[in-house]
Amino acid sequence: MSHTDHLSISRRPIMRPSSQTSKHRSSHDTEREFGGTLGAICIPVFLPLTVLFLICVSRSPEASVLQWPPPLPSTDLLWDPLAPVLLLGWISLHALLYSMPLGKVSEGLVLRDGTRLKYPINGFHGLCISGLLLMLLLGLGAPLGYLFELLLPLAVCAIAVSFLLSVYLYIRSFWAPFHALALGGNTGNPLYDFFIGRELNPRIGNFDLKYFCELRPGLIGWVVINLGMLMKEVELRGSPSLAMILVNSFQLLYVADALWNEEAVLTTMDIVHDGFGFMLVFGDLAWVPFTYSLQAAFLVVHPQALSSLGAAAIITLNGIGYYIFRKSNSQKNQFRRDPTHSSVARLETIATATGKRLLVSGWWGLVRHPNYLGDLLMALAWSLPCGFSHLLPYFYVIYFTVLLIHREARDERQCRAKYGLAWDTYCRRVPYRIFPYIY
Ligand code: NDP
């Protein structure tokens, strides 16, 4: 909080619609992603239905995505007046924790207008405080297992909030100055721009909506849902199963790690490149908490026996995945923040025309996305405690493989545009993208 205090003033939106200035300037050079307009129409319909469908499948006896007729819920299962109260209360609690003067304040990367935004690094505080509040509620006898019954109504509300927030973001983006719009989100096609996000860093005062949603209500909500499933198991069977404990612990570690290293999110594609529209809003608020918790929800209805040896093997796999994921992400972050730091100074690099260098040894010399490799190993370890009798618990690892292969291709395109020949040299030096000697 020092020399850049003035930025919040200089970034105040200029109150004039920006569509006229931006339309002709941006529509030609914008490559459309996610299937363009067709994707932008289908995805906002298809994915919310998928969330509801998967929750229904996870609690049906067959737990099969192929069962016919599909396990459609009756409409009264979709609504509970407690759901909007809990959801809005949860988002408000995290908005309050975000705004409290806890933790340090960091600067994001330099924006197109030469300024840098400031971000509170207090997500881990948010996790700990909300964890303490939950423990208190549990101590007072709050029936956390009731989250199992509330999952569908909560998902319906999260989907509704995602749509409302996306409409708000789309409308307000027309009052943002041109330089505050995402390069890829300003095509002039309303459906596509609504989906992909027009404004890069929408803020209400100093409150950054994208950064807030990225790691807080949805991500922390995911581990709370998991805990609710564990409590439901305790209600039903007297104690939590080993499989449920593993799924809860692995995923809590993942969320705690993301929040502990929250500063690293400031250099990710989501913050630096993507506008804030339906794609990210829905992903953060609905998709992550309600589909990433499917394994825990599945285990409530489909208990699995797990041997100590099996558990040990799965813990080892998660540990290896976590090690690769954390070490590779930290190495790149350290290198980008301070290439002269002793931990990265000796690594081999290649120069690029932008002045930035690319690592070609260490983790980033093994494959071009070692962090994705580690993430995928962990994803597999989260599914294995659910046994081999059903495909549903493997939904996450299958979906995540597709997502990361697609994300890798997007990143590759952006890096090739940024670094040109130097990127080609890097690709020749490090030929595999995610899996050594395979892909
Ligand atoms: P990455 O952290 O992989 O960053 C990609 C960027 O790193 C590139 O654009 C480039 O940016 C830089 N870079 C690439 N190669 C090199 C190199 N050799 N040397 C130096 N810099 C390089 O981006 P993501 O945001 O995709 O992933 C971050 C983490 O989040 C990953 O671990 C991923 O698995 C995880 N993730 C998890 C999701 C989930 O739902 N659980 C969803 C998405 C991601 P530049 O050169 O401009 O610095």
Side-chain angles (χ1 to χ4, degrees):
M1 296 287 275
S2 54
H3 60 287
T4 45
D5 277 348
H6 66 281
L7 292 186
S8 52
I9 300 166
S10 67
R11 295 259 305 110
R12 192 175 295 147
I14 299 164
M15 297 303 280
R16 78 181 148 69
S18 64
S19 58
Q20 286 185 344
T21 49
S22 57
K23 243 184 218 162
H24 63 285
R25 275 201 276 171
S26 63
S27 50
H28 315 294
D29 52 15
T30 303
E31 198 175 314
R32 300 194 185 179
E33 301 181 288
F34 297 97
T37 311
L38 186 64
I41 294 170
C42 297
I43 295 173
V45 176
F46 180 70
L47 286 192
L49 292 176
T50 305
V51 170
L52 301 179
F53 173 69
L54 289 172
I55 295 174
C56 294
V57 171
S58 73
R59 57 185 57 194
S60 70
E62 294 85 354
S64 165
V65 284
L66 299 177
Q67 63 192 284
W68 196 262
L72 295 178
S74 61
T75 42
D76 53 327
L77 286 179
L78 292 173
W79 174 248
D80 187 316
L82 190 57
V85 177
L86 281 182
L87 187 79
L88 295 178
W90 179 250
I91 294 174
S92 308
L93 169 71
H94 281 282
L96 181 72
L97 295 173
Y98 173 99
S99 310
M100 280 169 68
L102 295 167
K104 64 174 181 175
V105 173
S106 253
E107 289 188 334
L109 297 185
V110 179
L111 299 171
R112 291 210 301 283
D113 65 350
T115 61
R116 296 173 80 165
L117 292 173
K118 286 185 294 185
Y119 298 88
I121 308 295
N122 60 13
F124 193 74
H125 298 77
L127 174 70
C128 295
I129 294 173
S130 45
L132 285 175
L133 288 175
L134 271 178
M135 291 306 137
L136 191 71
L137 283 175
L138 275 175
L140 293 172
L144 203 60
Y146 190 58
L147 278 180
F148 179 77
E149 276 76 27
L150 274 182
L151 262 191
L152 273 173
L154 279 172
V156 167
C157 292
I159 290 165
V161 168
S162 304
F163 273 104
L164 291 174
L165 180 56
S166 309
V167 169
Y168 163 74
L169 289 165
Y170 180 71
I171 293 171
R172 63 163 270 157
S173 71
F174 287 93
W175 276 265
F178 177 71
H179 64 74
L181 300 180
L183 286 176
N186 189 26
T187 62
N189 178 324
L191 289 171
Y192 182 77
D193 291 348
F194 165 83
F195 169 73
I196 207 85
R198 283 190 91 233
E199 199 176 344
L200 189 59
N201 305 298
R203 288 189 159 203
I204 300 173
N206 282 334
F207 193 96
D208 191 295
L209 293 164
K210 181 166 69 170
Y211 175 70
F212 168 71
C213 289
E214 185 82 5
L215 291 185
R216 289 154 195 251
L219 207 65
I220 302 176
W222 166 24
V223 291
V224 175
I225 292 174
N226 278 350
L227 183 61
M229 301 306 108
L230 185 146
M231 294 310 295
K232 184 71 188 177
E233 216 188 31
V234 173
E235 267 174 38
L236 293 174
R237 299 183 198 104
S239 63
S241 63
L242 182 55
M244 182 67 97
I245 292 172
L246 288 191
V247 167
N248 265 258
S249 313
F250 292 162
Q251 297 184 352
L252 175 61
L253 170 72
Y254 190 72
V255 170
D257 175 273
L259 292 163
W260 181 259
N261 296 287
E262 191 178 21
E263 208 170 354
V265 86
L266 299 180
T267 58
T268 60
M269 217 195 287
D270 291 4
I271 297 291
V272 176
H273 176 266
D274 293 335
F276 197 36
F278 181 82
M279 177 184 77
L280 282 182
V281 175
F282 171 79
D284 292 342
L285 300 183
W287 183 263
V288 166
F290 295 99
T291 63
Y292 287 22
S293 57
L294 276 176
Q295 285 123 348
F298 168 86
L299 286 172
V300 172
V301 185
H302 308 86
Q304 303 289 320
L306 185 59
S307 68
S308 313
L309 196 65
I314 295 172
I315 292 170
T316 308
L317 179 66
N318 194 66
I320 294 171
Y322 178 70
Y323 183 77
I324 298 175
F325 164 85
R326 175 63 14 242
K327 286 285 178 188
S328 56
N329 273 320
S330 298
Q331 190 171 69
K332 177 167 66 69
N333 282 332
Q334 187 58 62
F335 181 70
R336 279 286 173 254
R337 291 203 170 264
D338 177 13
T340 62
H341 190 272
S342 58
S343 63
V344 289
R346 286 206 202 103
L347 293 174
E348 196 188 340
T349 60
I350 47 177
T352 74
T354 65
K356 274 184 173 179
R357 303 185 76 85
L358 290 167
L359 291 164
V360 281
S361 69
W363 289 105
W364 297 79
L366 177 71
V367 283
R368 300 208 290 271
H369 265 102
N371 49 354
Y372 291 1
L373 173 66
D375 224 335
L376 286 169
L377 293 179
M378 282 191 284
L380 181 61
W382 302 351
S383 302
L384 289 171
C386 302
F388 301 103
S389 55
H390 294 82
L391 191 60
L392 184 84
Y394 292 82
F395 170 79
Y396 176 73
V397 66
I398 296 168
Y399 140 81
F400 201 46
T401 306
V402 175
L403 178 126
L404 289 184
I405 287 175
H406 178 248
R407 196 172 169 93
E408 198 278 336
R410 289 182 75 209
D411 190 48
E412 178 104 5
R413 261 203 313 280
Q414 286 165 25
C415 286
R416 181 156 285 113
K418 259 187 292 189
Y419 301 126
L421 284 177
W423 186 258
D424 292 333
T425 309
Y426 175 52
C427 293
R428 276 197 300 278
R429 285 283 306 270
V430 185
Y432 293 100
R433 296 162 191 263
I434 301 178
F435 302 101
Y437 305 107
I438 299 175
Y439 177 74

